[in-house]
Amino acid sequence: MGLKLADRPLEPGYRYFERFTPPAESVEKVRGPEPAINPQAQVHDSILGPWCRVGARTSLSETAMGAFSYIVNDSSSAYAEIGKFCSIARDVRINPGNHPTWKAAQHHFSYRAISYELGDEDDQDFFEWRRSHTVTLGHDVWLGHGVTVLPGVTVGTGAVVGAGAVVSKDVAPFTIVGGVPSKPIRERFPKAVQDGLLAIAWWDWDHERLADALDDFRTLDADAFVEKYA
């Protein structure tokens, strides 16, 4: 399969990884904005923004992850666009493997023929079908422990997905969902506060402005934050 993200233009501070090679030093020693990937992680054909973190035994394939987002241990992501400041817990599956249920055989051999010595080429049309069902996370999304986000789903900015949920439908911004399949529980804020946060778009602030506003992030609730920065 060809590399799909290799030629995408990169914003300042973003890095492309064709295939991650563990550094000599431990990930715990990594400091500063350079993306930090645990030596036990696997990252292939993916883009990571500054301050991104990837945990142990986590795999990323054809995934673009925005600045400050992190995904911790024992998780996986494929064919995904992840916004900035996303918090992804352990044992999360983003766009897990999908199979051609409408065909006579849904087993790997039909599209990974080389591995089974059944053909000279894999079925590239199948993988393009997988890519056409990209998972998209907005900014400041929190995926709890053990969440699964199924192919083609969009999770809006500021949304929360409760632990163990299976997300089969789009999630609106600033909405908390949970369950199998996931269903809306409540909105995090009133509509006016949601609109205010989207207008402020603090996730696009530069590092210095984030630092200047740190006390407000810590002490103000969302309503007061919007009132101050709108």
Side-chain angles (χ1 to χ4, degrees):
M1 293 181 290
L3 300 171
K4 297 298 180 180
L5 301 187
D7 297 326
R8 181 180 293 188
L10 298 179
E11 299 177 50
Y14 282 68
R15 280 195 58 192
Y16 171 76
F17 295 86
E18 178 178 340
R19 191 170 297 279
F20 169 68
T21 301
E25 70 274 14
S26 169
V27 70
E28 283 75 20
K29 296 181 181 179
V30 175
R31 296 291 185 268
E34 182 73 9
I37 304 172
N38 188 281
Q40 296 180 336
Q42 299 180 24
V43 179
H44 171 249
D45 194 20
S46 293
I47 295 171
L48 301 179
W51 305 99
C52 281
R53 303 293 184 254
V54 180
R57 299 173 302 281
T58 287
S59 65
L60 304 182
S61 179
E62 292 190 33
T63 293
M65 181 180 288
F68 289 88
S69 289
Y70 65 86
I71 180 168
V72 297
N73 300 354
D74 303 296
S75 296
S76 65
S77 174
Y79 312 117
E81 298 284 339
I82 298 172
K84 302 174 184 177
F85 295 90
C86 289
S87 304
I88 302 171
R90 66 182 300 153
D91 296 316
V92 166
R93 301 290 177 262
I94 298 173
N95 209 345
N98 208 356
H99 292 257
T101 57
W102 64 93
K103 293 186 177 181
Q106 56 188 349
H107 187 272
H108 278 176
F109 85 84
S110 64
Y111 48 90
R112 296 187 186 274
I114 295 175
S115 297
Y116 296 92
E117 299 181 0
L118 290 170
D120 296 329
E121 295 182 354
D122 289 335
D123 185 357
Q124 298 305 316
D125 288 342
F126 170 81
F127 294 103
E128 290 302 323
W129 171 73
R130 286 282 284 126
R131 291 185 181 96
S132 72
H133 292 80
T134 299
V135 165
T136 302
L137 306 186
H139 307 298
D140 196 36
V141 169
W142 175 21
L143 302 184
H145 183 108
V147 163
T148 299
V149 184
L150 295 181
V153 168
T154 294
V155 181
T157 289
V160 176
V161 180
V166 176
V167 187
S168 59
K169 296 181 180 180
D170 291 353
V171 178
F174 301 104
T175 300
I176 300 172
V177 302
V180 181
S182 65
K183 295 181 181 179
I185 297 172
R186 63 178 176 86
E187 294 183 348
R188 289 178 60 199
F189 312 118
K191 191 66 165 60
V193 176
Q194 297 181 34
D195 291 343
L197 288 170
L198 290 172
I200 293 168
W202 59 261
W203 39 84
D204 290 330
W205 291 0
D206 60 28
H207 201 264
E208 182 178 359
R209 190 174 183 189
L210 287 170
D212 289 342
L214 184 59
D215 285 344
D216 290 333
F217 279 107
R218 289 175 170 175
T219 61
L220 300 180
D221 63 18
D223 188 44
F225 190 92
V226 167
E227 184 176 354
K228 180 170 182 176
Y229 288 97

